[in-house]
Each structure stands twice: as structure tokens, then as C-alpha cells.
Amino acid sequence: MRKSLLITTCCLLMALGASAQIPSLERVEPMFWWVGMSNPNLQLIIHGKDIASRNVQFTYPGVKLVAVHKVENPNYLFLDLRISQSASPGTFPIKFVKSGEKALTYQYTLKKRDHSKGRAQGVTNQDLIYLIMPDRFSNGDTKNDSIAGLREMSVDRSKMFSRHGGDLQGIMNHLDYLKDLGVTAIWLTPAVENDEPSASYHGYAVTDHYKIDPRYGNNELYKQFVEKCHSMGMKVVMDLVHNHAGTEGYTIQDMPMKSWVHQWPTYTKSNFRDAAVMDPHVSPSDRKQMLDGWFDHRMADMNENNPYVQNFLTQNHVWWVEYSGVDGFRLDTYPYNDPQYMADWAKEVRTEFPHLSIFGETLVWSAANQAFFTEGNTVNRGLDTHLPGITDGVWKEAVYEALNGHKGWTDGVNRLYAVMAQDFLYKDATKNTIFLDNHDMSRFLSVVGEDITKYKSGMAMLMTMRGVPQMYYGDEILMKNFSNPDGLVREDFPGGWPGDKENKFTAAGRSKKENDAFNYVRTLANYRKNTTALQTGKMMQYIPQDGVYLYFRYDNLKTVMVVYNSEEKDQSITTQRYTERINGALKARNVITDETIDVSKLTIPAKATLILELLPDNTH
């Protein structure tokens, strides 16, 4: 098997030789579409042996064949259609004809759009996102563990890089657990087909953009999953990969043209330096390697300057929203994509679905680097990215420093204060997704040395600071490990498989320590779900003093005061300094313990955080 699929003249000659074989119609994508879309243009990709030797014929009221594009590989045709607003739902035959041979026919369907309430509604700072790797959460259908014809057939839970058997049905079986926890949105790592020979359980080596991986279920089950979430008051985030595709996909194995992916004389990996995209002094070769270098031998780097690639990706993403009703997109490896294409993509998707939320994975080292990729930051760019928010890894690192670091002018908890002060860099920082860990990094509990007090403080900050909070599956039951390698932080959720010795989905299956953590998170998450001050309220923070960091979240309904003691010793403080925001309140309710306390003087245990809802005077 080839380690790299850089197309060569030899490969193209092989494709040309396909004309001698029996013609067939192997793919038409998108398989169907809808009338009434904002964009009337649709480009069909047709794949089949020597399909370019045939003429295209169809008639349907309101649909016009604008152009037929033949490309380097005769196994492809690209059809440009224009669907007028007068077109009605229906099915019509598209014929591919050639003199002396039997016509090939595809019955193409235009569907009516689904305008049901609650579809593509967007994920906002009113939500709590719960990230799941489908292969590692729960196995609800053992019959789909091994699928004939796929390259990886084995299931072995003892091996971290093998398939484990988790699936969509398993997730659906535990939606009650997530709702009880306080989750309002579920983000799955990519659930579309990853038919690579090994280690593609993570989902980021897509081989079929239009097909749910059969080991997880099928397209209809995915749609049912979204609908069931909606019926329970939860939303769904779909994970997209623009930058690269798995090398076993048909458009890579039999490329339409050389320029479908970025080509190099020899295999060239990205330098993974996001600064090369924004550096005014950058070497062109460094920038090219950052954007055009491959992520991995088995992740071909898509050429997003190619208009056929652009249409292929964008239409696929629009298709999934209209088909399933998902509420938001998380964009993988955002800095590695072509900036102009991603800006155009965001505009088109948001035109079709105005409420759909979008956030990009950046994972860079500074707030300025993150903000560079967000909408409204056009300085020295020449474009607006139209990207509302990013995954705020800089906030995460600042929280780590606040919990683990030592007091200094820019160290310890002062780092967190300074990062929050840089929110001026964003058009709207509340659209950033904040998190403590995910599938690509060490688990939060391990990062804080398995210190439960630090763990609770981190969770308190996650649930009370600005932005869209995101948890990683198992955080609430104290799952741990360092990402060395990543497979160690992608372990199975205990109780998700038939025959598991422990079932952490239930209180009876959890230890006392795990139940304490679970109950803390559940109390806080559900309080947040019912407190607009923590969702959309304003934030006011105070410069840390003697290691104590205090901030408020407030609106017209409530004021919540959060106090973190970063020192290794208990501290007592008076609150006279904060009277402008306390605004005459004398008492507060501890959100976790439900006790009422005097707010004039507070005692905060070492490394602990108090979450206090200020009570109006007329309460007492």
C-alpha cells in the first residue's frame, strides 16, 4: 500500500486506461438536494468509469444545466445546475449517453426543505457542550462492531489505537444521563466514515464525506440522534475537517485532477507554525508549508484554492445541516486552511443557516494569535474571516497557570486576569468556546495533580466565566491520564459496554470521590443552565490581590460573585473593595452548599473557589 498518494504522471495514465473498462455510474454527490435554498447553484460530482466520454441529458422545470466540466481524469464529470425558486420538489432522471452504448441513468431528487422549529438553532453561551468520541463512549449495537468490506475489521478494547465498538445508539441510550448532568449540547468527533487500515477511530481521516461510519450506525440513525437530542432540549455540534481527507477516500484514490490536493516532490509535512499565517515578515516558503503541508501520510491536504474542491466541501456541509438539522459546526485545524476560502465558506453557510453557530479549533499560544482568526479582525489581512469564535486554548492555559503556578506579576492567577483583560482583541469573546481538556490533550484531573480542590476550582471557572463552556466526556467522573500518547486520554467510559464490571453512568457504580465530583459538576451545570447572569450577563473582574482573584457575572436578575484563592493556605478577606459591584447586598447564597453567608468577610480555603449568589436586602 502506498504511504503517500501524491499523484504522478503514471497514476494519470492508469486513470486514462480506465476508458477501456466497462463504464458504470459509481457516485453522484450530493446524492439529492433541496428546492428553495438561498444559493440557487449546485455542482454535482459524477464519478464512474470513463464517464467523461458521455453526454448529459435531463429536463426538469426550474432546473437548468449551466455547464458540464470535463477534468484531467475521465472518470469524472462536474455538472453545474441552477435551481430556480420556482422549482418544485420531485425526482427526475439524469442520463449519461454515448452512441452505441446503453445509457446510464441516475434518478435525482429535489426535496422540500424542513423548516421545523429547533433545527440549526445554534449553540451559544447559554449552553454547556459535552464532547464525545463515539468509539469510546458506549456500545449500544454490537452488531455493527465489525463491518464486512471495511479495511479495519477488528474490535479490541485492550488496544488504545484499535476500534472499541462505541456507536450512536450507545450515545442515544445515555442522553438521560447527560441531560441530568446539565449538558445542553453534544459535540461528537467526526462520525462520518473513516475507512483507513488502522487507528482512524478518532474520525479525522474522512473517506466518505456523505456517509456516517457504519460502525457508528447510518445516516438515518444520525438524523434520529439529532432529533432525539432536540426533543430533550439538547443541541448537536458536528465536527468538520476542511483541511485534509483520509487517503483511502475515492476522491484521493482516484483523483479528479492533480490539483485536488497539495502536491510536493516528496512527502512534506506542515510545519504546524500558525504564526506563519499572520507574520508580516514571513518567508513565503514557511507560509506555504504551514498551509499546504500534509498533516500526516494518511491525511491528504486538500487544495482549497481549487474551485471544485471548494464546492465539494461547502455543499457537503450545507447538505448535512439541511439533512440532519445539526445546530453548529466545530472546525478542525482551522489555521491550516486557506483563509479566503474559509471566509467565503462561512458567509455561504451562514447565509443558508443564519442561526447556525461556528467555532474554529486554533490551539495557538497567545490571545492575539487566536483573535487573528476571528471575525472583525481585518488589520493587515485584507479579509474578514466571518468566524464568530474559536476554541480558547489560551484561556485554558491561563486557568492551568492559575491553579498550578506561583504568584508573580504575570504568573499564577495574574495570568488568568491578564488573559481576560485581552478580550478587547475579539469582536465578541463570549462566542469563544472555553474548555479544560479535550481528546487531543492531557485530561484536566491529571494536569492538576489529581487535586480535587483544584479540579473543583477549574470546573467553577469553566461554568462561570464568559464564553461557551465545553467539557470532555468523563471529566465529571474523574477520568484521568496524560496524552502520551493521545490514546491514553481516549479510554472507554466505564459502563458503556455490555459486561463492564463498573457502570459509572449510575451513582451506585461510582465511588464516593467520583460521586462528589459528579454532584459538584451537576449542581454547577444546572445552576448555570437556569442563571442568565452566567450565560449572557456582563463580567467585571478585579486585579488579584494577595493571590485572591474575584470577579462578578451579573444582569438585571442576579449577581454572582466568584472568589478564587490561589494560595496554598486558607485566606480571609473583607469585601469593602468590591462594594461598587456588591451594590449593598449583605448576604449571599453559596451555590454549591446552599448555605446563606455574610458577604462582608469571606474565608476561602487554599486553592478553593466560592460561587456566591448575592441576595437582595428584602430576603432577610
Side-chain angles (χ1 to χ4, degrees):
M1 185 169 289
R2 292 170 292 175
K3 291 184 178 179
S4 174
L5 292 171
L6 302 179
I7 216 158
T8 63
T9 304
C10 176
C11 296
L12 285 173
L13 289 173
M14 289 173 64
L16 289 168
S19 61
Q21 301 179 33
I22 298 174
S24 63
L25 195 59
E26 297 176 8
R27 296 259 187 166
V28 176
E29 291 177 343
M31 304 85 76
F32 55 83
W33 201 247
W34 295 267
V35 296
M37 303 296 282
S38 297
N39 184 354
N41 300 313
L42 175 66
Q43 185 172 85
L44 299 182
I45 179 170
I46 315 297
H47 184 233
K49 296 296 183 183
D50 198 29
I51 195 67
S53 66
R54 294 175 172 258
N55 294 319
V56 181
Q57 297 177 353
F58 75 81
T59 58
Y60 189 75
V63 181
K64 179 181 180 181
L65 180 60
V66 177
V68 176
H69 302 281
K70 297 182 180 182
V71 292
E72 294 172 37
N73 187 339
N75 293 338
Y76 285 89
L77 285 174
F78 290 83
L79 311 185
D80 290 349
L81 277 58
R82 182 169 294 121
I83 305 169
S84 73
Q85 291 299 315
S86 65
S88 299
T91 299
F92 58 94
I94 303 177
K95 294 184 177 181
F96 302 87
V97 300
K98 184 176 183 180
S99 179
E101 294 188 18
K102 183 180 179 180
L104 301 175
T105 303
Y106 185 87
Q107 297 292 332
Y108 202 82
T109 298
L110 292 175
K111 298 174 178 278
K112 181 181 179 180
R113 295 191 70 177
D114 186 346
H115 294 291
S116 302
K117 185 178 180 180
R119 301 180 95 245
Q121 59 193 303
V123 176
T124 70
N125 53 4
Q126 298 177 54
D127 292 302
L128 168 61
I129 301 173
Y130 189 89
L131 167 59
I132 294 174
M133 296 199 82
D135 185 60
R136 304 299 167 89
F137 191 66
S138 178
N139 188 348
D141 183 1
T142 57
K143 295 189 297 295
N144 64 20
D145 289 357
S146 184
I147 302 295
L150 294 184
R151 290 172 175 82
E152 186 176 13
M153 296 278 291
S154 64
V155 174
D156 190 343
R157 293 178 66 196
S158 69
K159 295 180 180 177
M160 70 176 73
F161 295 118
S162 294
R163 294 271 175 175
H164 289 194
D167 51 36
L168 289 172
Q169 189 59 56
I171 299 169
M172 293 169 74
N173 291 347
H174 294 291
L175 291 181
D176 286 336
Y177 166 86
L178 297 177
K179 186 173 179 63
D180 175 63
L181 181 62
V183 170
T184 65
I186 300 171
W187 156 25
L188 305 183
T189 54
V192 290
E193 183 192 89
N194 275 232
D195 189 17
E196 294 290 326
S198 63
S200 62
Y201 67 91
H202 48 69
Y204 294 97
V206 180
T207 56
D208 192 329
H209 288 75
Y210 282 94
K211 181 182 179 183
I212 292 297
D213 196 299
R215 288 160 290 204
Y216 298 153
N218 54 37
N219 288 13
E220 180 58 30
L221 186 63
Y222 182 80
K223 185 177 181 181
Q224 291 174 18
F225 161 67
V226 175
E227 291 170 347
K228 186 174 182 180
C229 287
H230 287 171
S231 72
M232 296 177 66
M234 291 186 284
K235 304 172 184 178
V236 177
V237 176
M238 192 174 203
D239 204 335
L240 300 184
V241 188
H242 293 76
N243 181 69
H244 48 268
T247 53
E248 296 294 342
Y250 82 96
T251 61
I252 309 299
Q253 286 289 318
D254 188 30
M255 292 190 198
M257 67 279 290
K258 288 185 198 178
S259 62
W260 190 257
V261 302
H262 287 123
Q263 302 287 345
W264 297 84
T266 58
Y267 173 74
T268 302
K269 205 169 189 176
S270 174
N271 54 30
F272 305 109
R273 294 283 189 170
D274 65 281
V277 182
M278 60 195 76
D279 180 6
H281 317 291
V282 69
S283 152
S285 60
D286 283 347
R287 190 175 193 275
K288 178 177 174 59
Q289 186 175 350
M290 165 63 190
L291 294 173
D292 297 357
W294 286 31
F295 232 70
D296 184 81
H297 280 284
R298 290 205 162 272
M299 294 178 177
D301 202 76
M302 302 294 283
N303 178 11
E304 293 161 347
N305 290 309
N306 183 325
Y308 297 108
V309 172
Q310 293 176 357
N311 288 330
F312 175 71
L313 292 173
T314 303
Q315 289 178 167
N316 173 254
H317 303 152
V318 170
W319 187 92
W320 275 112
V321 181
E322 186 60 36
Y323 172 73
S324 67
V326 294
D327 304 291
F329 285 145
R330 179 262 191 186
L331 312 182
D332 184 62
T333 54
Y334 186 86
Y336 301 85
N337 293 285
D338 179 75
Q340 185 63 61
Y341 165 64
M342 293 305 291
D344 294 340
W345 173 90
K347 283 194 294 184
E348 182 163 345
V349 170
R350 293 170 76 183
T351 297
E352 293 289 358
F353 309 102
H355 301 294
L356 187 84
S357 58
I358 302 169
F359 61 100
E361 178 201 32
T362 48
L363 297 186
V364 296
W365 66 273
S366 79
N369 290 48
Q370 283 183 167
F372 177 82
F373 295 104
T374 59
E375 65 184 355
N377 285 294
T378 58
V379 178
N380 298 323
R381 292 218 67 176
L383 62 84
D384 188 326
T385 65
H386 300 284
L387 179 69
I390 45 79
T391 54
D392 200 342
V394 174
W395 179 88
K396 171 187 71 74
E397 291 298 326
V399 171
Y400 286 2
E401 176 64 19
L403 296 171
N404 293 333
H406 298 288
K407 185 169 59 179
W409 190 259
T410 57
D411 298 324
V413 74
N414 287 307
R415 178 85 52 84
L416 180 57
Y417 169 82
V419 164
M420 295 303 297
Q422 293 177 68
D423 275 358
F424 71 89
L425 293 167
Y426 307 99
K427 180 180 178 180
D428 186 354
T430 69
K431 293 182 178 179
N432 291 345
T433 298
I434 57 175
F435 62 103
L436 297 169
D437 57 3
N438 64 28
H439 57 293
D440 286 329
M441 56 191 61
S442 297
R443 284 206 175 254
F444 172 57
L445 182 66
S446 294
V447 173
V448 295
E450 301 183 32
D451 185 314
I452 297 301
T453 302
K454 289 183 180 180
Y455 164 88
K456 289 181 177 180
S457 284
M459 284 294 175
M461 294 173 195
L462 179 70
M463 300 291 183
T464 61
M465 297 194 95
R466 63 93 178 113
V468 187
Q470 171 250 302
M471 292 177 58
Y472 183 37
Y473 79 93
D475 281 347
E476 73 279 12
I477 59 164
L478 303 179
M479 289 181 70
K480 61 185 180 181
N481 251 330
F482 293 97
S483 57
N484 186 26
D486 287 341
L488 292 173
V489 300
R490 301 169 180 176
E491 294 181 323
D492 299 342
F493 194 108
W497 275 252
D500 277 1
K501 294 180 179 179
E502 298 176 312
N503 183 6
K504 307 290 186 183
F505 287 108
T506 68
R510 297 188 288 264
S511 68
K512 182 178 179 180
K513 193 174 183 181
E514 289 164 348
N515 270 320
D516 178 54
F518 177 89
N519 291 332
Y520 182 87
V521 172
R522 179 175 60 178
T523 298
L524 200 44
N526 280 286
Y527 177 75
R528 185 185 192 279
K529 185 163 63 173
N530 295 294
T531 305
T532 55
L534 294 182
Q535 301 168 6
T536 56
K538 294 181 179 180
M539 178 172 173
M540 181 182 292
Q541 64 171 351
Y542 286 79
I543 298 170
Q545 198 169 75
D546 297 323
V548 175
Y549 176 46
L550 192 149
Y551 59 92
F552 294 86
R553 296 295 307 279
Y554 59 98
D555 61 12
N556 291 332
L557 298 176
K558 288 182 181 180
T559 295
V560 179
M561 180 168 66
V562 184
V563 191
Y564 168 58
N565 174 17
S566 68
E567 295 293 292
E568 299 284 354
K569 60 183 180 181
D570 297 357
Q571 293 207 84
S572 293
I573 63 168
T574 58
T575 57
Q576 186 176 359
R577 180 188 176 202
Y578 315 108
T579 53
E580 60 187 336
R581 190 63 258 156
I582 291 176
N583 199 27
L586 302 175
K587 301 287 184 179
R589 182 178 74 87
N590 186 313
V591 169
I592 301 300
T593 66
D594 204 34
E595 64 179 323
T596 299
I597 65 171
D598 188 329
V599 297
S600 63
K601 186 174 182 179
L602 301 173
T603 298
I604 316 102
K607 295 294 182 181
T609 298
L610 300 180
I611 306 167
L612 306 173
E613 179 185 315
L614 300 187
L615 301 176
D617 287 342
N618 58 14
T619 309
H620 298 278

